[in-house]
Amino acid sequence: MNRTIIIGTVALLTALSPQTLWAQIYKDRHAPIEERVEDLLSCMTLEEKVLQLHQRTIGKNKNSNNIGEKIKDIPAGIGSLIYYEDWPEVRNDMQKKAMEESRLGIPIVFGYDAIHGYRTIYPIPLAQACAWNPSLAEKACAVSAREARMSGVDWTFSPMIDVARDPRWGRVAEGYGEDPYTNGVFAAASVRGYQGNKMDSKENVAACLKHYVGYGASEAGRDYVYTEISRQTLWDTYLPPYEMGVKAGAATVMSAFNDISGTPATAHPYALKEILKGQWAFDGVIVSDWAAVKQLVPQGFASSLKEASLKSIRAGLDIDMVSEGYLNHLAELVKEGSVPMEEVDEAVRRVLRLKFRLGLFERPYTPESSESERFLRPQDVAIAERLAEESMVLLKNKDNILPLTAGKRIALIGPMAKEQEALLGSWKGQGKAEDVTSIWEGMRKEIGEPDSLLLYAKGCDFEKEDESGFAEARAVAGKADIVVLCLGEKRSWSGENASRSTIALPNIQERLAEEMQKTGKPIVLLLSNGRPLELCRIEPLCDAILEIWQPGIAGGRPVAGILTGRINPSGKLAMTFPYSTGQIPVYYNRRGSARRHQGFYQDITSNPLYSFGYGLSYTTFEYGTPRATATTIGKDGTVTVGVEVTNTGQYDGTETVHWYVSDPYCSITRPLKELKYFEKQLIKAGETRKFHFHIDPLRDLGYVDGSGKRFVESGEYVISVGKEQIKIEVK
Ligand code: GLC
């Protein structure tokens, strides 16, 4: 190239402003994302940056706590919106305004709460945990992602992974139970399901780990309240699921409402900056929960929305969901020198990174599609049915009364028998009650004709005191060979802002059970609920109890399959059922008492009614003696423990083997036992299968201290599987 051209080119390049030169890069789909982010950021004004950190809503809104808005009121440069429509047109119209009316044409990212399905609704997450099938849960999340993305949603505010041990709290329904490891496994499975290998596909969405952190420790099960969490408990109980979710690549995290021992999670520098963005090197977006910035004022942590915004951005919160604190005060805070521009830039950087990763600059609009292309495909409904089947837990089966023998006349009694809405559970997304197969319909389809084999009476409502239906229920039961009693909770009794002072069913339902017991007919109790229940009075009245949870659209079909024996139940509890409300909190991974033989309640048992990990099958499994590849290992060694499990019954069955670790003596006291691995396999009648736990001492035997530092100490460890144990010495 001759000298003149070189000089000319250099002169031209020098003349171009950095913005102009760079401005070509953010639009270049082949340029590295980080370069595109920096280029675009360098072009933005402070006002444009602030809008990227502001989130509102658009479209009709179904969550009574939150209110929707219309396109005209929404600034073209807004960063994100919660999208309540279930079709893409409104989103595309709003996106067109963003792409064509804003100076830089930055696309909006649209979020929504698809917690356990978008339109094809799956069992509530607490139920999914009882299925112990993360790969199936991952498939369900992938379907939810596809339905959401095709409907205009790029980002789901899911999974909820708050360890919870107080079933008075309505939100236990939304998480994966009382165990940190279990919540972590399902967090990672959900992230894989939602985000896939590349978030910029037409069928993936960004995941959001929530509610960071410790929300499940809400005092007395009330919602939005104070949580007393020591640093030790923060690290050994509430943070582990988030660490597993971040390691799985979660794109976003949502800060929680709760006050963590004096510092609300939404403005918690240690949690947001030091741990999440620092130690874990999380490079995604932290969004607040609904109005959580504004709520710092009633929490007594800020005197104004401006101060709340200052504390939130400085703590590392990137997006302000609907408080309008960042919108109204952030620019002023920067101009007055209270907030360094670098901190605003870092938040905007993360938001832009998310949008590039989602492919929104290349594909800002959602292609149109028909409802039948989007929703309720047969293969997706089949996943819902399988997940529901595997999530149901057989709690009692006296004299093997189940499965029901053919030809029996069945009286389906109770307020849940023909109910559809309640089976969707809380956070039903775009789910519709008419999509749900009721227990009645499921039984009719399973048993087929003649109808004389299936009788029905409602008996009573879910609550109140009206016993006028009891007479009919008694009469119908009198004509039957067996009563299938269908009880449980309304959809609104669990989920957000749904705490209950007792976990017992309303009195009227218990009285209906007593009436049925007086008929002398055997009773199979079906429970559909969003939390563990107090069953100490009802349990003795029933011959069998099947916990069906809130199974989603599959509803009654898996129930009927289990009752008739087409399906062998395999669910195991991921959350303890207390004997009574008075025992709360009661959970498996508690610390040891100072006196193992004293300190019990004087008036009731101190044992729960059904423990974590409990669940019956129609067959029986026998565990062999566990064997280890070594019984003494070094701290950096490894060991594999194996066990053989034999199906000693007459039904093929699926068994989930839980592997627990106990560290009887440690510098920091440990729970009596901790779940560290689980595996599920089908074992045919008479067959024996092998299960293995590959132990990494630091990961599986070690513990964290109050700073998050992980240790493994020399000493003896006990590995428990089934009723068997084996000791491992770490040198
Ligand atoms: C709600 C919930 C949160 C949800 C958010 C957006 O208040 O706490 O789980 O994602 O607001 O709807």
Side-chain angles (χ1 to χ4, degrees):
M1 180 191 269
N2 72 34
R3 194 176 152 74
T4 313
I5 292 174
I6 290 171
I7 292 168
T9 306
V10 169
L12 178 66
L13 288 177
T14 311
L16 288 172
S17 74
Q19 275 79 349
T20 316
L21 183 64
W22 275 91
Q24 305 315 314
I25 290 181
Y26 89 90
K27 289 182 178 157
D28 174 1
R29 68 176 63 214
H30 303 298
I33 284 181
E34 290 313 308
E35 289 182 23
R36 300 180 75 182
V37 166
E38 292 312 319
D39 171 39
L40 181 50
L41 188 60
S42 70
C43 305
M44 295 173 72
T45 65
L46 174 57
E47 287 62 31
E48 287 166 337
K49 292 173 183 176
V50 166
L51 272 176
Q52 286 299 308
L53 307 182
H54 169 50
Q55 183 179 94
R56 290 191 196 178
T57 67
I58 183 170
K60 60 182 182 294
N61 174 38
K62 295 174 186 149
N63 181 343
S64 55
N65 279 15
N66 312 332
I67 310 298
E69 287 193 36
K70 295 178 184 53
I71 291 175
K72 65 178 173 56
D73 306 329
I74 299 172
I78 194 166
S80 56
L81 289 166
I82 301 177
Y83 187 61
Y84 289 116
E85 304 297 343
D86 64 351
W87 51 301
E89 282 66 17
V90 172
R91 167 251 168 75
N92 287 340
D93 290 351
M94 181 64 224
Q95 192 72 297
K96 190 168 183 295
K97 178 174 178 179
M99 302 307 286
E100 296 177 0
E101 295 176 26
S102 71
R103 183 175 71 90
L104 294 165
I106 300 173
I108 297 167
V109 58
F110 293 83
Y112 183 69
D113 292 287
I115 308 301
H116 50 103
Y118 182 80
R119 169 66 188 274
T120 301
I121 302 303
Y122 293 99
I124 55 171
L126 182 58
Q128 292 188 34
C130 296
W132 302 97
N133 191 338
S135 62
L136 190 55
E138 180 180 333
K139 288 188 177 77
C141 289
V143 172
S144 175
R146 176 185 171 281
E147 291 190 346
R149 195 76 190 255
M150 289 177 74
S151 302
V153 170
D154 318 295
W155 176 19
T156 181
F157 303 134
S158 172
M160 191 271 213
I161 52 174
D162 299 318
V163 172
R165 290 147 172 186
D166 188 332
R168 291 173 294 182
W169 190 47
R171 305 200 77 166
V172 299
E174 302 172 46
Y176 298 91
E178 67 194 43
D179 177 63
Y181 175 73
T182 308
N183 274 276
V185 169
F186 283 95
S190 301
V191 168
R192 291 192 299 268
Y194 288 134
Q195 298 183 179
N197 298 324
K198 274 166 62 62
M199 274 195 300
D200 63 355
S201 88
K202 296 191 183 89
E203 302 196 348
N204 292 114
V205 295
C208 183
L209 306 175
K210 73 182 188 182
H211 307 77
Y212 185 74
V213 60
Y215 187 22
S218 283
E219 216 165 43
R222 289 190 290 273
D223 211 347
Y224 315 114
V225 294
Y226 180 79
T227 54
E228 181 47 61
I229 304 176
S230 67
R231 283 290 164 89
Q232 180 60 37
T233 300
L234 190 66
W235 277 102
D236 67 25
T237 301
Y238 296 107
L239 284 170
Y242 289 91
E243 187 171 16
M244 291 172 79
V246 166
K247 281 183 178 163
T252 70
V253 171
M254 181 183 289
S255 71
F257 290 128
N258 54 300
D259 174 346
I260 307 174
S261 301
T263 305
T266 292
H268 202 290
Y270 178 64
L272 302 184
K273 258 186 182 164
E274 195 169 325
I275 298 174
L276 188 50
K277 294 182 174 180
Q279 290 185 38
W280 294 348
F282 174 66
D283 70 355
V285 170
I286 304 177
V287 61
S288 78
D289 199 339
W290 186 276
V293 171
K294 183 159 61 176
Q295 288 162 185
L296 296 179
V297 175
Q299 283 178 301
F301 196 65
S303 59
S304 66
L305 184 55
K306 178 178 178 182
E307 187 186 6
S309 306
L310 168 64
K311 289 191 166 186
S312 300
I313 189 77
R314 305 243 41 201
L317 178 78
D318 300 317
I319 293 180
D320 165 15
M321 183 189 285
V322 310
S323 287
E324 307 212 343
Y326 284 13
L327 179 72
N328 295 320
H329 298 290
L330 197 46
E332 177 193 356
L333 287 164
V334 172
K335 289 169 184 165
E336 72 185 35
S338 307
V339 174
M341 178 66 93
E342 298 70 45
E343 294 188 8
V344 172
D345 284 352
E346 178 53 23
V348 175
R349 184 172 287 119
R350 289 165 181 266
V351 174
L352 298 180
R353 183 181 294 138
L354 173 66
K355 294 181 177 184
F356 281 117
R357 285 175 173 171
L358 279 165
L360 290 174
F361 285 80
E362 278 64 53
R363 277 200 330 278
Y365 302 107
T366 303
E368 297 200 5
S369 58
S370 67
E371 278 217 12
S372 59
E373 286 171 306
R374 292 204 297 277
F375 302 142
L376 300 168
R377 296 182 308 172
Q379 63 268 42
D380 302 335
V381 174
I383 292 172
E385 196 161 329
R386 232 188 94 207
L387 195 46
E389 287 170 10
E390 295 192 25
S391 67
M392 295 179 181
V393 186
L394 183 59
L395 298 174
K396 182 176 183 180
N397 192 16
K398 187 178 160 198
D399 303 333
N400 294 321
I401 187 172
L402 289 179
L404 302 174
T405 44
K408 285 242 190 238
R409 273 166 309 173
I410 301 166
L412 218 52
I413 307 272
M416 201 60 80
K418 292 194 174 182
E419 170 69 20
Q420 291 174 284
E421 174 78 14
L423 302 188
L424 286 170
S426 57
W427 295 101
K428 65 173 184 173
Q430 301 293 356
K432 299 182 188 307
E434 68 256 24
D435 298 337
V436 177
T437 301
S438 68
I439 295 169
W440 168 259
E441 275 310 310
M443 290 298 284
R444 277 173 55 86
K445 282 182 188 150
E446 191 80 25
I447 291 177
E449 302 309 329
D451 274 353
S452 60
L453 286 179
L454 195 59
L455 312 173
Y456 165 75
K458 185 175 182 182
C460 68
D461 283 330
F462 285 105
E463 54 190 338
K464 301 193 178 71
E465 300 303 319
D466 177 5
E467 298 187 0
S468 61
F470 281 11
E472 183 201 16
R474 279 193 298 270
V476 166
K479 295 175 194 160
D481 301 311
I482 190 165
V483 169
V484 174
L485 184 57
C486 308
L487 304 178
E489 294 188 305
K490 294 170 84 168
R491 201 172 69 79
S492 60
W493 293 1
S494 57
E496 182 178 357
N497 195 19
S499 301
R500 295 177 74 83
S501 68
T502 171
I503 58 172
L505 287 172
N507 213 349
I508 189 73
Q509 294 194 41
E510 292 200 3
R511 288 211 300 279
L512 178 62
E514 289 161 5
E515 286 303 308
M516 291 302 97
Q517 202 250 353
K518 288 176 194 166
T519 67
K521 305 289 181 170
I523 297 174
V524 173
L525 174 62
L526 299 183
L527 289 169
S528 176
N529 38 288
R531 57 164 52 84
L533 295 176
E534 175 182 294
L535 301 174
C536 52
R537 291 172 299 280
I538 285 188
E539 187 275 334
L541 309 179
C542 304
D543 300 84
I545 302 175
L546 179 66
E547 174 58 68
I548 73 168
W549 300 111
Q550 288 157 336
I553 59 164
R557 280 196 298 279
V559 176
I562 289 173
L563 294 187
T564 57
R566 171 172 58 85
I567 298 159
N568 184 358
S570 62
K572 293 190 172 186
L573 293 179
M575 189 167 184
T576 300
F577 272 53
Y579 178 81
S580 81
T581 303
Q583 286 188 339
I584 294 172
V586 58
Y587 50 95
Y588 92 91
N589 38 0
R590 65 190 185 284
R591 258 60 176 194
S593 155
R595 292 188 180 182
R596 302 289 171 93
H597 59 295
Q598 283 184 309
F600 304 121
Y601 295 119
Q602 292 184 340
D603 55 340
I604 61 167
T605 172
S606 294
N607 297 321
L609 184 60
Y610 301 117
S611 297
F612 176 90
Y614 176 80
L616 300 175
S617 169
Y618 290 153
T619 192
T620 48
F621 296 104
E622 199 170 286
Y623 284 56
T625 305
R627 303 198 185 294
T629 51
T631 51
T632 304
I633 55 171
K635 288 182 181 179
D636 52 6
T638 58
V639 62
T640 296
V641 186
V643 70
E644 291 189 340
V645 181
T646 302
N647 179 340
T648 50
Q650 56 180 354
Y651 284 90
D652 295 349
T654 304
E655 176 67 348
T656 298
V657 167
H658 287 115
W659 292 93
Y660 295 93
V661 166
S662 303
D663 179 1
Y665 310 99
C666 184
S667 309
I668 297 176
T669 59
R670 308 282 297 280
L672 289 172
K673 65 179 188 177
E674 297 173 271
L675 182 69
K676 289 295 182 182
Y677 183 64
F678 62 83
E679 183 185 354
K680 182 174 187 176
Q681 290 188 44
L682 171 65
I683 309 177
K684 293 187 180 303
E687 189 187 32
T688 296
R689 306 281 294 191
K690 287 192 172 179
F691 293 76
H692 296 95
F693 175 22
H694 304 291
I695 294 173
D696 169 308
L698 189 60
R699 180 193 65 198
D700 299 315
L701 308 180
Y703 65 97
V704 284
D705 68 6
S707 71
K709 198 165 179 314
R710 179 164 284 278
F711 301 84
V712 60
E713 290 186 337
S714 303
E716 187 178 83
Y717 294 83
V718 178
I719 311 301
S720 306
V721 60
K723 296 184 174 65
E724 309 295 331
Q725 294 186 337
I726 185 168
K727 290 180 180 169
I728 300 287
E729 180 81 24
V730 173
K731 285 292 183 199

